[in-house]
């Protein structure tokens, strides 16, 4: 089933009942597998009233994502360990550690491929990475490097736009645009880096750059932009005004569920692919709330095989707008993200899962 889903040219074609039935079966199997092969996960489930065999998607046991900053959670023998992904974090801050085997890595790559190809098309495009080439000196496999490497497969002749001091390399950019004059270009970058080091660079110099006909994918969080009162609509407006970019796709994702990204459609909604889903829970009661009501986002994915990351409660607030009826034509739930829940407002999400080890 999963191989069939990941080889589809359209990862947004399952209707509600068909998808829920499939996900429920797959997620129950993953819960059972991780319960048997990950002792800390087993202890967590045993200490809560969550069922190992759920009758509804909302009953699938979930972990708060911050647990991956506190515990090493994996469901594979050490000999099958392939790589460890680390989340982003400032100096001294704890980061999530996600342990991956080759099977999970392959599934993540296939999932990302089928999602992004449905937006970009099958052909690889000349690619501009709006970042410096930090990969050449990386000391660990971080969320930033995982994202850059993952999206690099959709481009060719990659140009890292920024130098080591995060300045635009204008001569290299001019040569690149001259070489691919008249061709669409694929741009990728993290939202804040795009804002701070590309948009602001050209706005400060009152200069524009013609990138019309090109496609931009960006992600990585909005916290710093929200602090500057920059909305998604304003960000898109400025990208169009400054660079002529009209095909701009934000995505929502996290290192704890690599591959299962939620791409933003032409209507401005984030979409769940056939192999993943979202629920929204009340931050106080943790009950699932109706569509249209804001709450904590829970992400579900059938990809994580090497660690119990198939059902995670995030710290992000969002709203499910609808299901199967977005004007873009894609089936599945579509939703919006509306910022992070302030730490002071968390009502025991972590406390519920405190372990006595």
């Amino acid at each position: 089933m999963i191989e069939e889903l990941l080889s589809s040219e359209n990862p947004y074609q399952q209707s509600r009942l068909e998808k829920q039935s499939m996900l429920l079966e797959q997620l129950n199997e993953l819960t059972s597998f991780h319960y048997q092969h990950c002792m800390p996960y087993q202890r967590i489930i045993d200490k809560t009233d969550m069922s190992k065999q759920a009758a509804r998607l909302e009953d699938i046991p979930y972990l708060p994502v911050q647990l991956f900053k506190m515990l090493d959670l994996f469901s594979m023998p050490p000999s099958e360990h392939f790589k460890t992904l680390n989340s982003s974090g400032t100096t001294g801050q704890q980061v999530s550690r996600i342990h991956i085997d080759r099977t999970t890595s392959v599934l993540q790559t296939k999932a990302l491929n089928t999602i992004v190809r449905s937006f970009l098309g099958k052909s690889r495009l000349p690619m501009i990475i709006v970042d410096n080439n930090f990969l050449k000196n990386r000391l660990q496999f971080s969320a930033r490097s995982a994202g850059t490497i993952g999206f690099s497969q959709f481009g060719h002749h990659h140009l890292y736009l920024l130098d080591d001091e995060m300045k635009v390399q204008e001569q290299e950019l001019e040569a690149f645009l001259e070489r691919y004059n008249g061709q669409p270009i694929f741009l990728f970058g993290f939202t804040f880096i795009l804002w701070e080091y590309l948009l602001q660079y050209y706005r400060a110099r009152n200069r524009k750059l013609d990138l019309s006909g090109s496609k931009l994918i960006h992600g990585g969080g909005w916290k710093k932009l929200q602090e500057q009162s920059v909305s998604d609509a304003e960000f898109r407006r400025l990208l169009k005004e400054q660079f002529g970019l009209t095909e701009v796709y934000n995505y929502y994702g996290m290192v704890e569920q690599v591959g299962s990204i939620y791409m933003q459609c032409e209507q401005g909604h984030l979409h769940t692919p056939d192999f993943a889903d979202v629920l929204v829970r009340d931050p106080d009661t943790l009950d699932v709330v109706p569509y249209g009501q804001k709450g904590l986002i829970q992400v579900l994915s059938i990809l994580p095989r090497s660690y119990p990351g198939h059902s995670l409660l995030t710290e992000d607030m969002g709203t499910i707008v609808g299901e199967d009826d977005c004007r873009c034509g894609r089936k599945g739930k579509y939703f919006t993200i509306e910022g992070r829940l302030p730490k002071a407002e968390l009502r025991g999400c972590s406390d519920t899962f405190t372990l006595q080890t």
Side-chain angles (χ1 to χ4, degrees), residues 220-231:
W222 284 85
K223 183 177 180 181
K224 292 183 178 179
L225 267 69
Q226 288 170 339
E227 290 172 354
Q228 299 180 39
S229 300
V230 181
S231 66

Side-chain angles (χ1 to χ4, degrees), residues 108-315:
Q108 291 171 339
T109 300
K110 288 182 176 180
L112 183 65
N113 185 71
T114 190
I115 291 171
V116 177
R117 290 291 181 205
S118 71
F119 282 83
L120 294 183
K122 293 182 179 180
S123 299
R124 295 168 66 213
L125 303 175
M127 183 175 181
I128 296 174
I129 299 169
V130 186
D131 211 326
N132 64 17
N133 193 2
F134 61 93
L135 295 176
K136 61 186 178 183
N137 295 315
R138 73 178 186 270
L139 299 177
Q140 60 183 6
F141 203 72
S142 67
R144 185 176 168 197
S145 57
T148 301
I149 292 171
F151 280 96
S152 292
Q153 66 181 301
F154 306 107
H156 65 80
H157 291 89
H158 308 88
L159 170 67
Y160 286 86
L161 185 58
L162 308 179
D163 63 19
D164 291 340
E165 296 180 351
M166 302 299 280
K167 302 292 185 183
V168 174
Q169 302 185 91
E170 293 199 50
Q171 290 185 346
E172 288 84 349
L173 177 58
E174 289 174 6
F176 185 90
L177 294 179
E178 182 177 348
R179 180 178 182 181
Y180 297 106
N181 183 37
Q183 298 184 42
I185 292 169
F186 170 40
L187 295 96
F188 169 77
F190 292 95
T191 308
F192 181 72
I193 293 177
L194 279 161
W195 168 262
E196 188 72 12
Y197 300 107
L198 180 61
L199 255 175
Q200 300 293 47
Y201 180 89
Y202 279 92
R203 291 180 72 202
R205 289 158 178 78
N206 196 27
R207 290 164 49 198
K208 296 187 177 182
L209 184 66
D210 184 10
L211 295 171
S212 55
S214 297
K215 302 181 181 186
L216 168 66
I217 292 178
H218 69 97
W222 284 85
K223 183 177 180 181
K224 292 183 178 179
L225 267 69
Q226 288 170 339
E227 290 172 354
Q228 299 180 39
S229 300
V230 181
S231 66
D232 176 60
E234 176 68 3
F235 187 60
R236 292 164 70 93
R237 185 189 70 79
L238 290 172
L239 287 169
K240 181 179 179 180
E241 177 183 286
Q242 207 71 38
F243 307 122
L245 287 167
T246 56
E247 292 190 62
V248 177
Y249 305 106
N250 182 25
Y251 73 90
Y252 173 66
M254 59 200 70
V255 73
E256 292 85 1
Q257 275 191 6
V258 167
S260 296
I261 64 170
Y262 304 91
M263 289 284 287
Q264 184 185 52
C265 74
E266 298 78 3
Q267 304 299 319
H269 300 133
L270 298 165
H271 278 261
T272 61
D274 291 339
F275 42 84
D277 209 353
V278 297
L279 299 170
V280 176
R281 295 185 179 272
D282 183 286
D284 293 317
T285 66
L286 298 182
D287 292 334
V288 171
V289 301
Y291 294 4
Q293 183 173 327
K294 184 166 70 172
L296 276 174
I297 294 287
Q298 178 186 346
V299 289
L300 304 162
S301 171
I302 64 175
L303 301 184
R305 306 292 161 128
S306 58
Y307 66 102
H310 58 299
S311 178
L312 302 175
L313 188 66
T314 75
E315 297 176 329

